[in-house]
């Protein structure tokens, strides 16, 4: 993995877009004080996720954005971008080139990008931890931070070494595992609480469900027993019915035949009665004849009056004492009345007799009125000849009507006689049918009496069959079930025994009582949830065990790797210390960490001792005890020795050193430069320096300058020019 380029835009003094490329192992950045060289180192720190604005020499995020000058407008955002060559795959991404980018806006919003895709800070931190660039940024030593390692406390110093060794990724995994373990433990507790809550109710539901299962099994056995009982009962009834039919079958057939004959005769009688009803016009014809007779009598009376008038007119010339009514006229009309009386005498119907008598009374009253009128009329003089003629004409007309009416009456009487004869024949046939019906009914009743006991038994069989059918209907038993049922297991039981078993099962079902299907459903749901929670608890507990095992393995790995790395760094530190100081010793050792504010009652046995890293030095030709007695230059050299030792053991992808050689004299600068050249074989170096010896080791020199507008600009120098410049 190699750092290819570095891009700044709007970051601090770099208002304009600026790109630095790193084609060589050592790149030096030079320039006068205040030109913005350190802003490049801070830009590298910031793009890799630095969150402390104080370390970046600011108070708030807005201070990282170019704030403008009298000659240049301020910027709205700052952008920094690092580009890595990842062809060796050290960065665990499937890209040959990986770009880290960070942006900040005036409102303090930060955005992180990885190969152009926006990501979280957490993603950046985890990815950097995998390649050995953690939060302590041990590979970036800013201006004035050269003795940061020396001044750090043992715990911070240990954390820096752990990160340098490459344990940060294990620490992140451990922290993630511990977080998951805590969440898992919490989930286990919640699940166990829920299990404890639902356990009593589930016990009740389980009891109800067991009852439901028992009820279901009992219902199934009841159904099977009912089917066996019904099959046996039907078979028994069929056998009994066959036996009875064999004994009384002929009589029953004769009875059935008589029933059919009786019904047929009744139909014949009904048919005759309907035909007689249709002959009812016989009586209506009588009424029509009576009406015609009445009309005939009226015409006869009218004819009598006319004849009387005619006769009276012929005798009107005689004396008044001779004015009498013709006896012939009276005899004629009275004879008609007598004939009608004889007809009334022959009628049996009282209502009709009364009706005829009323008609006769009216006729007699009319005759008397006519006689009186004739008697009075005969004494009047009629001197007009025309009246006699008109009376004769009327007389002739009435005689014609009477003749026609008489013929009609005779015709109707003949027709009525034919109808009456037919009606009498129908009545005779009906009476014969009735006599036959009475005979058949008498024979049927006698046969019924003889078969009454058998009929009663048959009705009882029918009732029992109906009861069985009703039981089948209530039980929802189909004929297909009856046919498909295997009665072998119940062959030893009689129908009565099976019926008793059915009753026992029903009593047991009543004792169990009805079970709400919702309770069974709830039990299934609660049981499923209980099983799910138990499985979850088991899975969570297994996950907890796995996480604890993983944490132990990670802790063991970190402890082993730290021990190995620490021993190597300790050895390299001593070597670099001797090279830089020309002898002496640089010693790294474990030191117990004393916690401030700890509980005084807590014993050392209750608290696991935590160890940090302490530094002891033995400068040649001096008796120095403790880092506090070192001079500024000695502290810088000691820090450089430790930094180079860390880099040598676990080289980071690149190393940024911001004026770490500022406090070195010429002799130490040469040693420093020689170590840099050797170190560049293991890692890429970016050096911010004023030191000529350091510049000589660089393959590329970038010069930073600042104009009157307060904007940092980048100048590039050829190596030949840089060599000439450094030898002046």
């Amino acid at each position: 993995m190699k750092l290819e380029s570095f891009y700044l835009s709007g970051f601090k003094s770099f208002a304009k877009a600026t790109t630095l490329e790193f084609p060589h192992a050592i790149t030096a950045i030079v320039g006068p004080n205040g030109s913005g060289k350190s802003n490049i180192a801070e830009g590298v720190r910031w793009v890799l996720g630095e969150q402390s604005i104080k370390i970046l020499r600011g108070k708030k995020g807005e201070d990282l954005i170019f704030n403008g000058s009298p000659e240049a407008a301020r910027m709205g955002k700052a952008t920094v971008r690092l580009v890595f060559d990842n062809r060796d795959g050290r960065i665990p991404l499937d890209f040959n080139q990986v770009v880290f980018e960070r942006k900040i806006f005036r409102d303090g919003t930060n955005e992180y990008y990885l190969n152009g895709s926006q990501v979280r800070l957490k993603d950046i931190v985890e990815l950097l931890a995998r390649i050995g660039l953690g939060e302590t940024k041990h590979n970036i030593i800013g201006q004035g931070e050269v003795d940061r390692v020396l001044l750090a406390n043992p715990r911070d110093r240990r954390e820096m070494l752990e990160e340098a060794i490459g344990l940060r990724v294990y620490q992140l995994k451990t922290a993630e595992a511990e977080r998951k373990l805590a969440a898992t433990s919490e989930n286990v507790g919640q699940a166990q609480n829920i299990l404890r809550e639902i356990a009593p109710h589930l016990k009740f539901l389980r009891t109800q469900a067991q009852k439901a299962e028992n009820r279901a099994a009992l219902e199934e056995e009841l159904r099977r027993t009912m089917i066996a009982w019904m099959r046996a009962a039907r078979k028994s009834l069929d056998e009994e019915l066959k036996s009875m039919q064999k004994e009384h079958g002929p009589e029953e057939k004769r009875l059935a035949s008589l029933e059919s004959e009786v019904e047929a005769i009744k139909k014949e009688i009904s048919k005759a009665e309907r035909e007689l009803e249709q002959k009812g016009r016989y009586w209506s014809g009588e009424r029509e004849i009576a009406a015609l007779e009445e009309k005939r009598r009226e015409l006869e009376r009218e004819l009598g009056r006319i004849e009387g008038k005619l006769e009276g007119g012929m005798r009107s010339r005689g004396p008044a004492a001779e004015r009498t009514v013709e006896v012939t006229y009276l005899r004629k009309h009275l004879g008609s009345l007598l004939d009608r009386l004889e007809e009334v005498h022959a009628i049996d119907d009282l209502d009709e007799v009364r009706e005829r008598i009323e008609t006769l009374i009216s006729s007699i009253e009319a005759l008397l009125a006519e006689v009186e009128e004739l008697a009075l009329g005969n004494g009047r003089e009629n001197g007009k000849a025309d009246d006699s003629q008109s009376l004769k004409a009327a007389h002739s007309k009435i005689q014609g009507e009477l003749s026609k009416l008489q013929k009609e009456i005779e015709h109707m009487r003949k027709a009525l006689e034919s109808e009456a004869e037919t009606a009498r024949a129908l009545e005779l046939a009906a009476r014969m049918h009735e006599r036959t019906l009475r005979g058949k009914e008498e024979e049927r009743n006698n046969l019924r009496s003889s078969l009454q006991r058998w009929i009663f038994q048959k009705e009882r069989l029918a009732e029992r069959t109906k009861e069985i059918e009703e039981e089948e209907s209530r039980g929802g038993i189909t004929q297909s079930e009856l046919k498909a049922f295997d009665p072998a297991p119940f062959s030893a039981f009689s129908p009565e025994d099976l019926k008793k078993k059915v009753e026992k099962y029903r009593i047991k079902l009543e004792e169990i009582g009805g079970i709400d299907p919702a309770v069974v459903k709830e039990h299934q749901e609660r049981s499923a949830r209980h099983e799910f929670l138990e499985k979850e608890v088991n899975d969570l507990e297994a996950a907890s065990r796995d996480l604890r095992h993983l944490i132990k393995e990670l802790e063991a790995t970190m402890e082993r790797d730290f021990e190995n790395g620490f021993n190597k760094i300790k050895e390299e530190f001593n070597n670099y210390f001797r090279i830089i100081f020309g002898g002496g010793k640089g010693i790294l050792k474990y030191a117990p960490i004393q916690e401030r504010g700890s509980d005084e009652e807590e014993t050392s046995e209750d608290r696991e001792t935590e160890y940090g890293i302490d530094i002891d030095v033995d400068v040649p030709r001096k008796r120095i005890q403790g880092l506090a007695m070192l001079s500024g230059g000695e502290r810088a050299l000691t820090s450089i020795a430790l930094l180079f030792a860390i880099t040598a053991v676990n080289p980071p992808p690149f190393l940024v050193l911001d004026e770490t050689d500022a406090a070195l004299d010429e002799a130490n600068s040469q040693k420093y430069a020689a170590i840099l050249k050797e170190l560049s074989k293991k890692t890429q170096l970016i050096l911010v320096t004023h030191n000529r010896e350091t510049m000589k080791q660089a393959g590329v020199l970038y010069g930073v300058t600042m104009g009157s507008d307060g904007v940092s600009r980048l100048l590039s120098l050829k190596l030949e020019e840089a060599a000439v410049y450094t030898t002046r």
Side-chain angles (χ1 to χ4, degrees):
M1 185 179 72
K2 179 183 177 183
L3 181 61
E4 288 187 346
S5 63
F6 179 62
Y7 170 87
L8 303 94
S9 177
F11 184 79
K12 288 198 170 185
S13 61
F14 287 89
K16 297 181 180 181
T18 303
T19 302
L20 290 83
E21 296 182 353
F22 308 101
H24 295 280
I26 301 177
T27 300
I29 301 171
V30 300
N33 292 331
S35 61
K37 301 186 301 299
S38 296
N39 292 340
I40 295 175
E42 291 171 352
V44 174
R45 181 189 293 271
W46 183 71
V47 75
L48 295 179
E50 180 60 61
Q51 298 299 303
S52 174
I53 303 299
K54 183 178 180 181
I55 292 177
L56 300 175
R57 298 183 299 168
K59 294 182 179 179
K60 53 185 178 179
E62 191 177 0
D63 294 340
L64 302 179
I65 305 173
F66 180 70
N67 203 32
S69 66
E71 298 180 9
R74 72 173 188 170
M75 304 292 287
K77 68 176 181 177
T79 303
V80 178
R81 187 184 306 131
L82 273 178
V83 181
F84 289 93
D85 180 0
N86 190 41
R87 283 177 292 184
D88 60 355
R90 183 173 179 182
I91 301 177
L93 293 175
D94 192 17
F95 294 97
N96 291 331
Q97 188 180 67
V98 178
V99 181
F100 292 88
E101 184 176 359
R102 183 176 180 180
K103 297 179 182 180
I104 187 170
F105 299 86
R106 285 286 176 185
D107 61 358
T109 303
N110 281 267
E111 294 179 355
Y112 300 88
Y113 295 87
L114 190 61
N115 280 21
S117 298
Q118 189 168 356
V119 295
R120 303 170 299 172
L121 173 61
K122 180 182 177 182
D123 300 325
I124 298 293
V125 171
E126 290 181 354
L127 186 60
L128 292 174
R130 292 177 180 273
I131 59 177
L133 300 178
E135 296 178 355
T136 60
K137 303 297 185 295
H138 66 281
N139 63 316
I140 304 174
I141 305 300
Q143 188 175 5
E145 293 183 339
V146 67
D147 54 355
R148 181 180 59 177
V149 179
L150 300 182
L151 299 178
N153 58 50
R155 174 182 284 112
D156 293 341
R157 197 177 292 127
R158 180 186 176 106
E159 290 177 357
M160 187 178 298
L161 290 182
E162 288 174 345
E163 186 175 294
I165 294 170
L167 302 183
R168 182 59 181 168
V169 63
Y170 297 111
Q171 292 173 345
L172 291 174
K173 289 181 179 180
T174 302
E176 181 68 16
E178 290 175 347
R179 185 188 64 78
K180 289 182 179 179
L181 179 61
T184 302
S185 300
E186 184 178 355
N187 292 335
V188 169
Q190 292 177 355
Q192 289 175 341
N193 289 336
I194 296 173
L195 286 173
R196 284 192 292 270
E197 289 177 4
I198 67 176
H201 188 52
L202 182 61
K203 183 179 180 181
F204 166 76
L205 292 175
R206 188 179 295 111
T207 302
Q208 296 298 312
Q210 185 64 41
K211 286 185 178 180
E213 291 178 3
N214 295 338
R215 182 180 180 85
L218 195 59
E219 287 176 344
E220 180 62 24
E221 188 62 27
L222 171 62
R223 187 177 186 84
R224 294 178 68 252
T225 307
M226 284 184 66
I227 294 174
W229 166 45
M230 290 169 187
R231 282 178 58 94
R234 279 183 176 275
K235 183 178 179 181
S236 176
L237 290 174
D238 291 342
E239 291 175 353
E240 189 174 351
L241 182 60
K242 287 179 181 178
S243 177
M244 293 170 64
Q245 285 179 343
K246 184 177 180 181
E247 182 179 356
H248 302 282
E251 295 178 355
E252 187 180 20
K253 288 181 180 179
R254 177 55 185 164
L255 180 60
S257 176
L258 287 174
E259 294 285 358
S260 300
E261 292 176 4
V262 167
E263 291 298 324
I265 294 171
K266 286 182 178 179
K267 289 180 181 178
E268 291 294 332
I269 294 173
S270 298
K271 180 180 179 182
E273 289 176 350
R274 287 195 299 271
E275 290 179 355
L276 281 173
E277 289 177 359
Q278 292 175 0
K279 300 298 182 181
R281 71 187 187 90
Y282 166 77
W283 302 110
S284 63
E286 286 285 345
R287 286 192 292 273
E288 290 177 4
I289 292 173
L292 292 175
E293 288 285 352
E294 180 65 25
K295 186 177 181 181
R296 181 178 63 80
R297 287 190 290 272
E298 289 178 358
L299 290 174
E300 287 176 350
R301 286 194 295 272
E302 183 66 24
L303 184 62
R305 283 194 297 272
I306 293 172
E307 289 176 351
K309 287 180 182 180
L310 288 173
E311 292 176 1
M314 294 175 63
R315 292 191 297 269
S316 61
R317 297 184 186 94
E322 294 179 359
R323 286 179 285 182
T324 60
V325 178
E326 291 292 333
V327 175
T328 305
Y329 174 77
L330 292 175
R331 181 178 294 171
K332 181 180 180 180
H333 288 286
L334 289 174
S336 176
L337 291 173
L338 288 173
D339 292 339
R340 291 166 64 187
L341 280 172
E342 289 179 358
E343 292 177 359
V344 171
H345 186 267
I347 296 173
D348 294 333
D349 190 355
L350 185 59
D351 292 334
E352 188 175 355
V353 170
R354 289 176 180 175
E355 184 180 351
R356 293 290 185 92
I357 290 173
E358 290 176 357
T359 303
L360 288 171
I361 292 172
S362 299
S363 298
I364 293 171
E365 289 176 351
L367 179 61
L368 291 175
E370 289 176 2
V371 171
E372 184 179 357
E373 184 179 355
L374 288 173
L376 293 175
N378 287 338
R380 297 173 185 171
E381 294 182 0
N382 189 355
K384 296 182 181 179
D386 293 337
D387 291 340
S388 176
Q389 293 295 327
S390 62
L391 288 173
K392 289 180 179 180
H395 183 271
S396 177
K397 181 180 179 181
I398 292 173
Q399 280 185 337
E401 291 180 355
L402 280 172
S403 177
K404 183 179 180 181
L405 187 61
Q406 185 64 35
K407 290 179 180 180
E408 186 177 356
I409 290 172
E410 290 176 357
H411 177 72
M412 289 187 67
R413 286 191 180 279
K414 289 181 180 180
L416 283 176
E417 287 178 1
S418 176
E419 292 288 339
E421 185 177 354
T422 304
R424 284 192 295 272
L426 289 173
E427 288 179 356
L428 179 60
R431 284 194 293 272
M432 291 179 65
H433 284 312
E434 287 176 355
R435 284 195 296 271
T436 304
L437 177 62
R438 285 193 294 271
K440 296 291 183 181
E441 286 180 342
E442 184 177 357
E443 184 182 359
R444 183 193 65 180
N445 292 336
N446 293 333
L447 191 57
R448 276 185 176 178
S449 298
S450 64
L451 293 175
Q452 190 64 40
R453 182 172 175 274
W454 182 64
I455 293 172
F456 176 73
Q457 292 176 350
K458 187 177 180 181
E459 289 176 351
R460 285 186 60 190
L461 290 177
E463 290 178 358
R464 287 164 62 186
T465 302
K466 186 177 180 181
E467 290 176 359
I468 292 174
E469 291 175 350
E470 290 176 353
E471 287 285 351
E472 291 174 357
S473 178
R474 283 195 295 268
I477 299 172
T478 62
Q479 294 299 319
S480 60
E481 284 184 285
L482 289 171
K483 292 179 180 178
F485 183 75
D486 181 14
F490 299 90
S491 59
F493 298 97
S494 65
E496 292 75 16
D497 294 336
L498 292 173
K499 186 176 181 180
K500 290 179 181 179
K501 289 175 70 67
V502 168
E503 295 298 329
K504 288 181 180 179
Y505 286 143
R506 285 175 174 171
I507 292 172
K508 288 182 179 180
L509 285 175
E510 290 180 1
E511 292 175 353
I512 293 175
I515 304 297
D516 188 358
V519 174
V520 179
K521 184 178 180 182
E522 184 181 1
H523 172 258
Q524 294 174 350
E525 294 174 352
R526 291 296 181 94
S527 295
R529 189 183 180 197
H530 189 271
E531 291 176 2
F532 172 77
L533 289 173
E534 284 185 336
K535 184 177 181 299
E536 284 292 306
V537 169
N538 293 333
D539 292 344
L540 290 171
E541 288 177 347
S544 297
R545 290 192 296 270
D546 293 341
L547 287 171
R548 291 190 183 93
H549 181 67
L550 175 62
I551 290 172
K552 288 182 179 179
E553 286 185 348
L554 290 172
E555 289 176 347
T557 300
M558 286 189 294
E559 185 176 355
R560 182 181 64 252
D561 290 353
F562 180 78
E563 185 67 25
N564 294 334
F566 176 72
N567 291 332
K568 291 179 181 179
I569 292 173
K570 180 170 65 172
E571 183 179 352
E572 291 294 332
F573 174 60
N574 186 49
N575 292 335
Y576 280 113
F577 187 87
R578 293 178 62 190
I579 292 171
I580 292 174
F581 284 94
K585 292 181 181 180
I587 302 171
L588 296 179
K589 62 181 181 179
Y590 291 112
I593 298 174
Q594 299 294 332
E595 294 286 350
R596 294 183 178 180
S598 60
D599 191 354
E600 295 180 357
E601 296 179 358
E602 187 178 8
T603 64
S604 59
E605 295 180 356
D606 299 330
R607 183 176 64 251
E608 184 178 355
T609 303
E610 184 179 358
Y611 290 92
I613 302 300
D614 205 353
I615 301 175
D616 282 344
V617 295
D618 183 8
V619 180
R621 298 176 298 277
K622 289 186 179 181
R623 292 184 177 181
I624 295 177
Q625 296 179 352
L627 298 175
M629 299 178 63
L630 293 175
S631 65
E634 289 171 338
R635 283 202 307 272
L637 291 172
T638 303
S639 298
I640 290 170
L642 181 57
L643 177 63
F644 288 171
I646 294 172
T647 303
V649 172
N650 188 25
F654 62 92
L655 187 62
V656 179
L657 302 176
D658 187 1
E659 298 188 19
T660 55
D661 54 0
L664 301 181
D665 55 18
E666 186 174 353
N668 287 323
S669 294
Q670 292 176 355
K671 295 178 182 179
Y672 177 77
I675 295 174
L676 287 177
K677 186 174 182 180
E678 186 66 25
L679 200 61
S680 65
K681 297 177 182 179
K682 298 180 179 181
T683 187
Q684 196 171 359
L685 301 176
I686 301 172
L687 310 173
V688 179
T689 183
H690 293 288
N691 193 302
R692 294 183 180 182
E693 294 297 330
T694 303
M695 294 180 193
K696 290 179 181 180
Q697 307 305 320
V700 176
L701 285 176
Y702 285 105
V704 180
T705 184
M706 181 180 291
S708 59
D709 56 359
V711 177
S712 296
R713 291 178 175 82
L714 197 65
L715 302 176
S716 60
L717 295 176
K718 295 180 180 180
L719 293 178
E720 295 81 0
E721 296 176 350
V724 173
Y725 177 76
T726 54
T727 55
R728 290 179 182 176

